[in-house]
mmCIF file of all heavy atoms in Angstrom:
data_model
loop_
_atom_site.group_PDB
_atom_site.id
_atom_site.type_symbol
_atom_site.label_atom_id
_atom_site.label_comp_id
_atom_site.label_asym_id
_atom_site.label_seq_id
_atom_site.Cartn_x
_atom_site.Cartn_y
_atom_site.Cartn_z
ATOM 1 N N ALA A 98 9.753 -0.809 -3.873
ATOM 2 C CA ALA A 98 10.914 -1.620 -3.511
ATOM 3 C C ALA A 98 11.323 -2.516 -4.681
ATOM 4 O O ALA A 98 10.474 -3.158 -5.304
ATOM 5 C CB ALA A 98 10.585 -2.469 -2.291
ATOM 6 N N ALA A 99 12.611 -2.561 -4.907
ATOM 7 C CA ALA A 99 13.140 -3.415 -5.980
ATOM 8 C C ALA A 99 12.815 -4.891 -5.701
ATOM 9 O O ALA A 99 12.643 -5.669 -6.646
ATOM 10 C CB ALA A 99 14.640 -3.224 -6.118
ATOM 11 N N GLY A 100 12.675 -5.265 -4.442
ATOM 12 C CA GLY A 100 12.390 -6.647 -4.085
ATOM 13 C C GLY A 100 10.907 -6.995 -4.102
ATOM 14 O O GLY A 100 10.537 -8.142 -3.833
ATOM 15 N N ASP A 101 10.065 -6.053 -4.422
ATOM 16 C CA ASP A 101 8.615 -6.280 -4.422
ATOM 17 C C ASP A 101 8.219 -7.046 -5.679
ATOM 18 O O ASP A 101 8.391 -6.546 -6.788
ATOM 19 C CB ASP A 101 7.894 -4.940 -4.363
ATOM 20 C CG ASP A 101 6.401 -5.055 -4.192
ATOM 21 O OD1 ASP A 101 5.837 -6.132 -4.430
ATOM 22 O OD2 ASP A 101 5.767 -4.036 -3.827
ATOM 23 N N THR A 102 7.702 -8.262 -5.520
ATOM 24 C CA THR A 102 7.264 -9.040 -6.659
ATOM 25 C C THR A 102 5.766 -8.858 -6.939
ATOM 26 O O THR A 102 5.272 -9.317 -7.950
ATOM 27 C CB THR A 102 7.568 -10.533 -6.470
ATOM 28 O OG1 THR A 102 6.939 -10.996 -5.284
ATOM 29 C CG2 THR A 102 9.064 -10.783 -6.391
ATOM 30 N N ASP A 103 5.054 -8.194 -6.009
ATOM 31 C CA ASP A 103 3.619 -7.939 -6.209
ATOM 32 C C ASP A 103 3.400 -6.703 -7.092
ATOM 33 O O ASP A 103 2.516 -6.696 -7.944
ATOM 34 C CB ASP A 103 2.906 -7.748 -4.874
ATOM 35 C CG ASP A 103 2.926 -9.002 -4.039
ATOM 36 O OD1 ASP A 103 2.579 -10.076 -4.563
ATOM 37 O OD2 ASP A 103 3.300 -8.912 -2.858
ATOM 38 N N VAL A 104 4.151 -5.668 -6.821
ATOM 39 C CA VAL A 104 4.078 -4.443 -7.631
ATOM 40 C C VAL A 104 5.505 -4.102 -8.051
ATOM 41 O O VAL A 104 6.276 -3.539 -7.278
ATOM 42 C CB VAL A 104 3.469 -3.253 -6.814
ATOM 43 C CG1 VAL A 104 3.416 -2.017 -7.695
ATOM 44 C CG2 VAL A 104 2.098 -3.607 -6.284
ATOM 45 N N PRO A 105 5.886 -4.485 -9.254
ATOM 46 C CA PRO A 105 7.258 -4.265 -9.703
ATOM 47 C C PRO A 105 7.650 -2.780 -9.700
ATOM 48 O O PRO A 105 6.825 -1.904 -9.983
ATOM 49 C CB PRO A 105 7.267 -4.802 -11.131
ATOM 50 C CG PRO A 105 6.112 -5.751 -11.180
ATOM 51 C CD PRO A 105 5.073 -5.170 -10.242
ATOM 52 N N LEU A 106 8.900 -2.528 -9.382
ATOM 53 C CA LEU A 106 9.429 -1.173 -9.377
ATOM 54 C C LEU A 106 9.229 -0.491 -10.720
ATOM 55 O O LEU A 106 8.990 0.722 -10.772
ATOM 56 C CB LEU A 106 10.916 -1.200 -9.010
ATOM 57 C CG LEU A 106 11.635 0.123 -8.830
ATOM 58 C CD1 LEU A 106 10.975 0.977 -7.766
ATOM 59 C CD2 LEU A 106 13.100 -0.121 -8.485
ATOM 60 N N ALA A 107 9.260 -1.238 -11.801
ATOM 61 C CA ALA A 107 9.034 -0.667 -13.122
ATOM 62 C C ALA A 107 7.659 -0.008 -13.213
ATOM 63 O O ALA A 107 7.512 1.034 -13.900
ATOM 64 C CB ALA A 107 9.175 -1.738 -14.219
ATOM 65 N N ASN A 108 6.659 -0.564 -12.573
ATOM 66 C CA ASN A 108 5.326 0.051 -12.561
ATOM 67 C C ASN A 108 5.380 1.438 -11.911
ATOM 68 O O ASN A 108 4.761 2.384 -12.381
ATOM 69 C CB ASN A 108 4.315 -0.824 -11.807
ATOM 70 C CG ASN A 108 3.925 -2.056 -12.562
ATOM 71 O OD1 ASN A 108 4.556 -2.434 -13.542
ATOM 72 N ND2 ASN A 108 2.885 -2.712 -12.094
ATOM 73 N N THR A 109 6.099 1.510 -10.805
ATOM 74 C CA THR A 109 6.230 2.792 -10.095
ATOM 75 C C THR A 109 6.953 3.816 -10.971
ATOM 76 O O THR A 109 6.553 4.984 -11.042
ATOM 77 C CB THR A 109 6.970 2.605 -8.773
ATOM 78 O OG1 THR A 109 6.284 1.592 -8.001
ATOM 79 C CG2 THR A 109 7.039 3.902 -7.976
ATOM 80 N N ARG A 110 8.009 3.381 -11.626
ATOM 81 C CA ARG A 110 8.762 4.296 -12.499
ATOM 82 C C ARG A 110 7.904 4.768 -13.673
ATOM 83 O O ARG A 110 7.967 5.929 -14.066
ATOM 84 C CB ARG A 110 10.051 3.643 -12.973
ATOM 85 C CG ARG A 110 11.013 3.363 -11.816
ATOM 86 C CD ARG A 110 12.406 3.021 -12.318
ATOM 87 N NE ARG A 110 13.272 2.556 -11.276
ATOM 88 C CZ ARG A 110 13.862 3.308 -10.367
ATOM 89 N NH1 ARG A 110 13.636 4.594 -10.351
ATOM 90 N NH2 ARG A 110 14.673 2.777 -9.448
ATOM 91 N N THR A 111 7.090 3.886 -14.227
ATOM 92 C CA THR A 111 6.164 4.272 -15.306
ATOM 93 C C THR A 111 5.160 5.285 -14.802
ATOM 94 O O THR A 111 4.885 6.283 -15.480
ATOM 95 C CB THR A 111 5.454 3.029 -15.868
ATOM 96 O OG1 THR A 111 6.435 2.164 -16.429
ATOM 97 C CG2 THR A 111 4.438 3.405 -16.934
ATOM 98 N N CYS A 112 4.621 5.062 -13.625
ATOM 99 C CA CYS A 112 3.677 6.006 -13.018
ATOM 100 C C CYS A 112 4.352 7.364 -12.823
ATOM 101 O O CYS A 112 3.772 8.404 -13.137
ATOM 102 C CB CYS A 112 3.160 5.453 -11.681
ATOM 103 S SG CYS A 112 2.024 6.517 -10.832
ATOM 104 N N ALA A 113 5.580 7.357 -12.333
ATOM 105 C CA ALA A 113 6.301 8.602 -12.105
ATOM 106 C C ALA A 113 6.499 9.363 -13.413
ATOM 107 O O ALA A 113 6.320 10.582 -13.465
ATOM 108 C CB ALA A 113 7.649 8.319 -11.441
ATOM 109 N N ARG A 114 6.867 8.666 -14.461
ATOM 110 C CA ARG A 114 7.057 9.322 -15.786
ATOM 111 C C ARG A 114 5.751 9.917 -16.283
ATOM 112 O O ARG A 114 5.725 11.015 -16.814
ATOM 113 C CB ARG A 114 7.633 8.330 -16.797
ATOM 114 C CG ARG A 114 9.112 8.115 -16.670
ATOM 115 C CD ARG A 114 9.696 7.375 -17.855
ATOM 116 N NE ARG A 114 9.086 6.089 -18.087
ATOM 117 C CZ ARG A 114 9.447 4.966 -17.492
ATOM 118 N NH1 ARG A 114 10.425 4.959 -16.615
ATOM 119 N NH2 ARG A 114 8.853 3.816 -17.807
ATOM 120 N N THR A 115 4.650 9.173 -16.113
ATOM 121 C CA THR A 115 3.361 9.661 -16.553
ATOM 122 C C THR A 115 2.970 10.905 -15.794
ATOM 123 O O THR A 115 2.516 11.900 -16.402
ATOM 124 C CB THR A 115 2.279 8.567 -16.380
ATOM 125 O OG1 THR A 115 2.644 7.425 -17.151
ATOM 126 C CG2 THR A 115 0.918 9.060 -16.804
ATOM 127 N N LEU A 116 3.131 10.895 -14.483
ATOM 128 C CA LEU A 116 2.812 12.065 -13.672
ATOM 129 C C LEU A 116 3.717 13.247 -14.028
ATOM 130 O O LEU A 116 3.256 14.391 -14.135
ATOM 131 C CB LEU A 116 2.944 11.729 -12.193
ATOM 132 C CG LEU A 116 1.888 10.777 -11.648
ATOM 133 C CD1 LEU A 116 2.314 10.238 -10.275
ATOM 134 C CD2 LEU A 116 0.532 11.464 -11.563
ATOM 135 N N ALA A 117 4.999 12.982 -14.229
ATOM 136 C CA ALA A 117 5.935 14.047 -14.596
ATOM 137 C C ALA A 117 5.553 14.654 -15.943
ATOM 138 O O ALA A 117 5.694 15.861 -16.162
ATOM 139 C CB ALA A 117 7.359 13.500 -14.632
ATOM 140 N N GLY A 118 5.052 13.819 -16.846
ATOM 141 C CA GLY A 118 4.614 14.303 -18.148
ATOM 142 C C GLY A 118 3.423 15.245 -18.052
ATOM 143 O O GLY A 118 3.163 16.030 -18.961
ATOM 144 N N GLN A 119 2.718 15.196 -16.933
ATOM 145 C CA GLN A 119 1.599 16.071 -16.682
ATOM 146 C C GLN A 119 2.006 17.268 -15.799
ATOM 147 O O GLN A 119 1.148 18.015 -15.325
ATOM 148 C CB GLN A 119 0.458 15.301 -16.011
ATOM 149 C CG GLN A 119 -0.082 14.176 -16.860
ATOM 150 C CD GLN A 119 -0.691 14.683 -18.158
ATOM 151 O OE1 GLN A 119 -1.444 15.650 -18.170
ATOM 152 N NE2 GLN A 119 -0.343 14.046 -19.249
ATOM 153 N N GLY A 120 3.310 17.395 -15.558
ATOM 154 C CA GLY A 120 3.807 18.538 -14.822
ATOM 155 C C GLY A 120 4.110 18.304 -13.352
ATOM 156 O O GLY A 120 4.529 19.226 -12.654
ATOM 157 N N ALA A 121 3.889 17.112 -12.857
ATOM 158 C CA ALA A 121 4.168 16.832 -11.453
ATOM 159 C C ALA A 121 5.649 16.668 -11.210
ATOM 160 O O ALA A 121 6.378 16.170 -12.071
ATOM 161 C CB ALA A 121 3.432 15.564 -11.000
ATOM 162 N N ARG A 122 6.088 17.106 -10.051
ATOM 163 C CA ARG A 122 7.468 16.833 -9.609
ATOM 164 C C ARG A 122 7.403 15.566 -8.780
ATOM 165 O O ARG A 122 6.812 15.539 -7.710
ATOM 166 C CB ARG A 122 7.997 18.009 -8.784
ATOM 167 C CG ARG A 122 8.229 19.242 -9.621
ATOM 168 C CD ARG A 122 8.685 20.443 -8.820
ATOM 169 N NE ARG A 122 9.477 20.099 -7.673
ATOM 170 C CZ ARG A 122 9.534 20.833 -6.549
ATOM 171 N NH1 ARG A 122 8.821 21.934 -6.443
ATOM 172 N NH2 ARG A 122 10.280 20.456 -5.537
ATOM 173 N N VAL A 123 8.025 14.498 -9.295
ATOM 174 C CA VAL A 123 7.886 13.175 -8.694
ATOM 175 C C VAL A 123 9.250 12.618 -8.333
ATOM 176 O O VAL A 123 10.197 12.705 -9.119
ATOM 177 C CB VAL A 123 7.189 12.193 -9.661
ATOM 178 C CG1 VAL A 123 6.976 10.840 -9.001
ATOM 179 C CG2 VAL A 123 5.870 12.758 -10.164
ATOM 180 N N ARG A 124 9.320 12.036 -7.164
ATOM 181 C CA ARG A 124 10.527 11.348 -6.717
ATOM 182 C C ARG A 124 10.137 9.900 -6.365
ATOM 183 O O ARG A 124 9.196 9.675 -5.626
ATOM 184 C CB ARG A 124 11.109 12.023 -5.475
ATOM 185 C CG ARG A 124 12.329 11.308 -4.938
ATOM 186 C CD ARG A 124 12.891 12.058 -3.743
ATOM 187 N NE ARG A 124 13.873 11.207 -3.093
ATOM 188 C CZ ARG A 124 14.150 11.233 -1.815
ATOM 189 N NH1 ARG A 124 13.538 12.072 -1.022
ATOM 190 N NH2 ARG A 124 15.058 10.426 -1.307
ATOM 191 N N VAL A 125 10.860 8.938 -6.937
ATOM 192 C CA VAL A 125 10.659 7.541 -6.605
ATOM 193 C C VAL A 125 11.673 7.172 -5.533
ATOM 194 O O VAL A 125 12.876 7.395 -5.694
ATOM 195 C CB VAL A 125 10.849 6.612 -7.840
ATOM 196 C CG1 VAL A 125 10.779 5.147 -7.434
ATOM 197 C CG2 VAL A 125 9.785 6.927 -8.885
ATOM 198 N N VAL A 126 11.193 6.639 -4.415
ATOM 199 C CA VAL A 126 12.058 6.210 -3.320
ATOM 200 C C VAL A 126 12.084 4.686 -3.344
ATOM 201 O O VAL A 126 11.104 4.044 -3.007
ATOM 202 C CB VAL A 126 11.543 6.746 -1.963
ATOM 203 C CG1 VAL A 126 12.454 6.303 -0.835
ATOM 204 C CG2 VAL A 126 11.386 8.248 -2.001
ATOM 205 N N ASP A 127 13.221 4.124 -3.753
ATOM 206 C CA ASP A 127 13.382 2.671 -3.834
ATOM 207 C C ASP A 127 13.856 2.160 -2.480
ATOM 208 O O ASP A 127 14.912 2.537 -1.983
ATOM 209 C CB ASP A 127 14.397 2.329 -4.936
ATOM 210 C CG ASP A 127 14.632 0.833 -5.076
ATOM 211 O OD1 ASP A 127 14.051 0.030 -4.327
ATOM 212 O OD2 ASP A 127 15.404 0.479 -5.988
ATOM 213 N N GLN A 128 13.048 1.285 -1.867
ATOM 214 C CA GLN A 128 13.364 0.764 -0.536
ATOM 215 C C GLN A 128 14.252 -0.489 -0.587
ATOM 216 O O GLN A 128 14.553 -1.078 0.436
ATOM 217 C CB GLN A 128 12.063 0.452 0.225
ATOM 218 C CG GLN A 128 11.173 1.649 0.406
ATOM 219 C CD GLN A 128 11.802 2.751 1.245
ATOM 220 O OE1 GLN A 128 12.951 2.722 1.644
ATOM 221 N NE2 GLN A 128 11.023 3.765 1.543
ATOM 222 N N GLY A 129 14.680 -0.859 -1.770
ATOM 223 C CA GLY A 129 15.654 -1.947 -1.892
ATOM 224 C C GLY A 129 15.037 -3.347 -1.930
ATOM 225 O O GLY A 129 13.950 -3.538 -2.463
ATOM 226 N N ALA A 130 15.732 -4.288 -1.354
ATOM 227 C CA ALA A 130 15.410 -5.713 -1.487
ATOM 228 C C ALA A 130 14.393 -6.213 -0.467
ATOM 229 O O ALA A 130 14.558 -7.286 0.097
ATOM 230 C CB ALA A 130 16.689 -6.539 -1.390
ATOM 231 N N VAL A 131 13.354 -5.432 -0.237
ATOM 232 C CA VAL A 131 12.274 -5.889 0.654
ATOM 233 C C VAL A 131 11.050 -6.243 -0.193
ATOM 234 O O VAL A 131 10.888 -5.758 -1.299
ATOM 235 C CB VAL A 131 11.901 -4.831 1.714
ATOM 236 C CG1 VAL A 131 13.074 -4.584 2.657
ATOM 237 C CG2 VAL A 131 11.469 -3.533 1.088
ATOM 238 N N ASP A 132 10.188 -7.084 0.370
ATOM 239 C CA ASP A 132 8.995 -7.493 -0.363
ATOM 240 C C ASP A 132 7.906 -6.420 -0.238
ATOM 241 O O ASP A 132 8.126 -5.341 0.344
ATOM 242 C CB ASP A 132 8.490 -8.850 0.092
ATOM 243 C CG ASP A 132 8.018 -8.892 1.547
ATOM 244 O OD1 ASP A 132 7.874 -7.815 2.170
ATOM 245 O OD2 ASP A 132 7.790 -10.015 2.048
ATOM 246 N N HIS A 133 6.726 -6.744 -0.731
ATOM 247 C CA HIS A 133 5.638 -5.753 -0.778
ATOM 248 C C HIS A 133 5.290 -5.221 0.603
ATOM 249 O O HIS A 133 5.217 -4.004 0.811
ATOM 250 C CB HIS A 133 4.409 -6.394 -1.433
ATOM 251 C CG HIS A 133 3.306 -5.432 -1.727
ATOM 252 N ND1 HIS A 133 3.402 -4.473 -2.693
ATOM 253 C CD2 HIS A 133 2.085 -5.291 -1.176
ATOM 254 C CE1 HIS A 133 2.291 -3.769 -2.742
ATOM 255 N NE2 HIS A 133 1.459 -4.236 -1.834
ATOM 256 N N PHE A 134 5.070 -6.109 1.551
ATOM 257 C CA PHE A 134 4.705 -5.648 2.896
ATOM 258 C C PHE A 134 5.901 -5.091 3.656
ATOM 259 O O PHE A 134 5.761 -4.172 4.462
ATOM 260 C CB PHE A 134 4.011 -6.766 3.670
ATOM 261 C CG PHE A 134 2.677 -7.114 3.072
ATOM 262 C CD1 PHE A 134 2.507 -8.266 2.312
ATOM 263 C CD2 PHE A 134 1.612 -6.264 3.216
ATOM 264 C CE1 PHE A 134 1.295 -8.560 1.734
ATOM 265 C CE2 PHE A 134 0.368 -6.544 2.634
ATOM 266 C CZ PHE A 134 0.219 -7.706 1.904
ATOM 267 N N GLY A 135 7.061 -5.598 3.356
ATOM 268 C CA GLY A 135 8.285 -5.044 3.951
ATOM 269 C C GLY A 135 8.513 -3.604 3.548
ATOM 270 O O GLY A 135 9.016 -2.786 4.316
ATOM 271 N N SER A 136 8.119 -3.276 2.316
ATOM 272 C CA SER A 136 8.275 -1.896 1.866
ATOM 273 C C SER A 136 7.396 -0.932 2.660
ATOM 274 O O SER A 136 7.782 0.198 2.906
ATOM 275 C CB SER A 136 7.993 -1.776 0.364
ATOM 276 O OG SER A 136 6.624 -1.969 0.079
ATOM 277 N N VAL A 137 6.246 -1.418 3.100
ATOM 278 C CA VAL A 137 5.374 -0.585 3.947
ATOM 279 C C VAL A 137 6.054 -0.311 5.275
ATOM 280 O O VAL A 137 6.077 0.813 5.773
ATOM 281 C CB VAL A 137 3.993 -1.260 4.170
ATOM 282 C CG1 VAL A 137 3.159 -0.469 5.173
ATOM 283 C CG2 VAL A 137 3.270 -1.414 2.861
ATOM 284 N N VAL A 138 6.643 -1.348 5.866
ATOM 285 C CA VAL A 138 7.307 -1.222 7.156
ATOM 286 C C VAL A 138 8.480 -0.229 7.065
ATOM 287 O O VAL A 138 8.669 0.602 7.947
ATOM 288 C CB VAL A 138 7.797 -2.599 7.647
ATOM 289 C CG1 VAL A 138 8.655 -2.482 8.892
ATOM 290 C CG2 VAL A 138 6.626 -3.521 7.893
ATOM 291 N N VAL A 139 9.217 -0.298 5.963
ATOM 292 C CA VAL A 139 10.352 0.609 5.781
ATOM 293 C C VAL A 139 9.901 2.022 5.420
ATOM 294 O O VAL A 139 10.461 3.006 5.891
ATOM 295 C CB VAL A 139 11.301 0.053 4.684
ATOM 296 C CG1 VAL A 139 12.426 1.017 4.370
ATOM 297 C CG2 VAL A 139 11.865 -1.301 5.111
ATOM 298 N N SER A 140 8.863 2.115 4.602
ATOM 299 C CA SER A 140 8.410 3.412 4.099
ATOM 300 C C SER A 140 7.621 4.233 5.104
ATOM 301 O O SER A 140 7.760 5.472 5.118
ATOM 302 C CB SER A 140 7.529 3.234 2.858
ATOM 303 O OG SER A 140 8.234 2.614 1.825
ATOM 304 N N ALA A 141 6.808 3.597 5.929
ATOM 305 C CA ALA A 141 5.919 4.345 6.826
ATOM 306 C C ALA A 141 6.640 5.364 7.702
ATOM 307 O O ALA A 141 6.213 6.525 7.748
ATOM 308 C CB ALA A 141 5.103 3.360 7.681
ATOM 309 N N PRO A 142 7.732 5.001 8.360
ATOM 310 C CA PRO A 142 8.415 6.038 9.167
ATOM 311 C C PRO A 142 8.975 7.179 8.316
ATOM 312 O O PRO A 142 8.999 8.329 8.745
ATOM 313 C CB PRO A 142 9.562 5.265 9.842
ATOM 314 C CG PRO A 142 9.196 3.824 9.737
ATOM 315 C CD PRO A 142 8.330 3.686 8.527
ATOM 316 N N GLN A 143 9.409 6.859 7.092
ATOM 317 C CA GLN A 143 9.917 7.907 6.211
ATOM 318 C C GLN A 143 8.811 8.868 5.801
ATOM 319 O O GLN A 143 9.022 10.088 5.711
ATOM 320 C CB GLN A 143 10.549 7.276 4.967
ATOM 321 C CG GLN A 143 11.775 6.468 5.276
ATOM 322 C CD GLN A 143 12.281 5.727 4.063
ATOM 323 O OE1 GLN A 143 12.025 6.077 2.920
ATOM 324 N NE2 GLN A 143 13.039 4.676 4.310
#
């Protein structure tokens, strides 16, 4: 989530690039302006 101040979205994007560099097909799903725990609430049903 872009609103997550505990784990910045940039960290996720870096992880995705690293995994893609090893051949993984990776999609980052940005949950928007929610905080760290809010992203869990939004992501879990997805």
Side-chain angles (χ1 to χ4, degrees):
D101 187 343
T102 57
D103 295 311
V104 180
L106 184 58
N108 287 14
T109 305
R110 295 194 189 283
T111 298
C112 180
R114 281 192 302 275
T115 300
L116 291 166
Q119 298 298 314
R122 291 178 30 210
V123 183
R124 178 178 168 210
V125 174
V126 181
D127 181 357
Q128 301 297 6
V131 295
D132 65 11
H133 189 70
F134 293 104
S136 69
V137 173
V138 172
V139 175
S140 298
Q143 295 174 21

